[in-house]
Amino acid sequence: MRVSRLAVGLVALVSGCAAAGEPAADRLTISIAPAGYPAAPIDNDALPGTPLAEARAHLGRRLFFDPRLSRTGGIACATCHRPDHGFADLDAVSAGVDGRRGTRNAPALVNLAWTEHLFWDGRVPTLEQQSTMPIENPDEMDLPLAEAIARVNADPAYGRAFADAYAGVDSETALRRSLATFIRSLVSGQSPYDRFLRGDNTALLPGARRGMQMFFSDKAGCFHCHPSGPLTNDGFFNNGSYVTGGDVGRSAITGRSGDLGKFKVPGLRNVAATGPYMHDGSVATLQDAIEQYARGGRGGPNTDAVIVPLLLTEDDKADLVAFLRALTDDRFLNDPRYP
């Protein structure tokens, strides 16, 4: 079912998404930054809002939804990063070509224009480096970049789009940059929480407001890793999900024993739509996530000192869930620009 949906989307994108002459509703720009974020994202390929940035983002969008970038022609980036689920996946661990599965949950691709660490273990610092790694990963799309570029170059519509967006730029570089530019355009900042931060005191219902106060209190302590505004400190923590013998996380990159079981702190916008949770997708629901934190994690080694048992009532937990649901940006999840 997913492949059919992607194929239909591909036809629409290839036939009708050139930057010139498009209706304004279909343009890809970085518009309103979420409350608490800098006005402009880092590492832009082109200044947001300019025709060049739009041309590159549109090209990246075509590539993102194109299953031809996988060895079998059946998997696209959007297969594991679904727009209607906040560019995350419903599966704990996504299926790649031939049903192959890795070990980690597909993270949500939202507001990454402002991050400096990519992947759960932070192995690369830029979206340009990250954007094509899933294409070559044997458990994901399993296609050498040279073959991906050959397939793209065989399509005249792609040829024109690359010429418009990256005249004179090496095709591998253009492939990386265009995908990265599209991902930077995925900005979510219209949730009830965002509207509340911008001064709309009616945006949060009473339960969500109580949950917000709990979230940013010492009683729950969520703000230590998810500060107000960005809702991520972009750091690495062992949040109590690691168990002995499991995925070692950040320490595989740094070689430091102190990084055992540490993973990147994700942002929380649209978190109600992006489950299951944690680096391995082992926590099914928001309620389960709060219960795990309330227990102080799973008791594994090197759990961060801020992860301790919490004295939360059932009402406290319900209010926290209400607040987390108030981080949902329905406009983003239902954006017609993403098929």
Side-chain angles (χ1 to χ4, degrees):
M1 181 62 70
R2 291 185 193 174
V3 173
S4 298
R5 179 182 174 191
L6 290 170
V8 171
L10 175 64
V11 172
L13 289 169
V14 170
S15 63
C17 287
E22 288 189 45
D26 197 42
R27 292 177 183 168
L28 291 166
T29 59
I30 295 174
S31 52
I32 224 173
Y37 279 77
I42 59 175
D43 293 331
N44 288 310
D45 189 23
L47 186 64
T50 64
L52 183 58
E54 289 183 11
R56 293 176 178 181
H58 278 286
L59 175 55
R61 180 174 63 177
R62 295 186 194 185
L63 294 164
F64 189 88
F65 285 93
D66 193 339
R68 288 178 291 184
L69 296 189
S70 67
R71 175 175 56 80
T72 61
I75 300 290
C77 301
T79 304
C80 301
H81 297 281
R82 299 173 55 178
D84 54 338
H85 290 282
F87 287 85
D89 196 6
L90 288 175
D91 294 336
V93 178
S94 301
V97 295
D98 301 325
R100 299 173 188 172
R101 293 185 186 269
T103 58
R104 293 178 180 170
N105 179 254
L109 304 182
V110 59
N111 298 349
L112 295 184
W114 291 271
T115 192
E116 296 181 346
H117 306 286
L118 282 307
F119 293 105
W120 280 106
D121 53 22
R123 76 188 75 161
V124 297
T126 71
L127 284 167
E128 280 74 16
Q129 292 170 284
Q130 179 275 335
S131 61
T132 55
M133 293 177 75
I135 296 174
E136 294 192 291
N137 189 311
D139 290 328
E140 297 183 55
M141 300 167 80
D142 193 30
L143 187 70
L145 275 188
E147 175 60 21
I149 292 165
R151 293 184 183 186
V152 166
N153 286 338
D155 185 328
Y158 267 129
R160 291 190 296 271
F162 273 98
D164 290 342
Y166 292 102
V169 178
D170 176 77
S171 55
E172 181 174 323
T173 300
L175 186 73
R176 296 179 189 276
R177 287 183 176 179
S178 55
L179 281 166
T181 301
F182 170 67
I183 294 170
R184 287 196 184 95
S185 78
L186 301 177
V187 176
S188 178
Q190 296 289 346
S191 71
Y193 170 68
D194 292 302
R195 298 199 302 272
F196 177 81
L197 290 184
R198 289 196 289 269
D200 182 357
N201 290 326
T202 67
L204 293 178
L205 295 175
R209 190 175 293 210
R210 291 193 302 270
M212 180 181 67
Q213 292 169 348
M214 180 69 59
F215 188 94
F216 295 111
S217 72
D218 287 326
K219 184 175 182 180
C222 310
F223 69 92
H224 291 296
C225 295
H226 301 282
S228 176
L231 296 175
T232 175
N233 59 12
D234 211 31
F236 298 89
F237 286 83
N238 182 331
N239 70 351
S241 294
Y242 172 78
V243 293
T244 301
D247 189 335
V248 299
R250 180 72 172 160
S251 66
I253 305 301
T254 66
R256 295 193 293 261
S257 60
D259 286 335
L260 178 68
K262 289 186 177 181
F263 294 90
K264 181 184 173 182
V265 176
L268 296 182
R269 279 174 176 78
N270 304 305
V271 68
T274 62
Y277 307 103
M278 310 304 172
H279 67 278
D280 54 0
S282 58
V283 176
T285 68
L286 291 176
Q287 291 87 343
D288 292 339
I290 290 172
E291 291 291 349
Q292 177 169 302
Y293 282 118
R295 292 192 301 270
R298 299 176 184 172
N302 203 41
T303 298
D304 195 271
V306 301
I307 306 298
V308 297
L310 305 174
L311 299 176
L312 299 178
T313 68
E314 293 306 309
D315 286 342
D316 292 336
K317 296 173 186 176
D319 288 341
L320 282 170
V321 170
F323 172 62
L324 293 174
R325 293 190 181 282
L327 304 177
T328 302
D329 181 351
D330 288 322
R331 182 182 301 182
F332 179 80
L333 296 179
N334 297 295
D335 195 322
R337 297 175 299 177
Y338 313 129

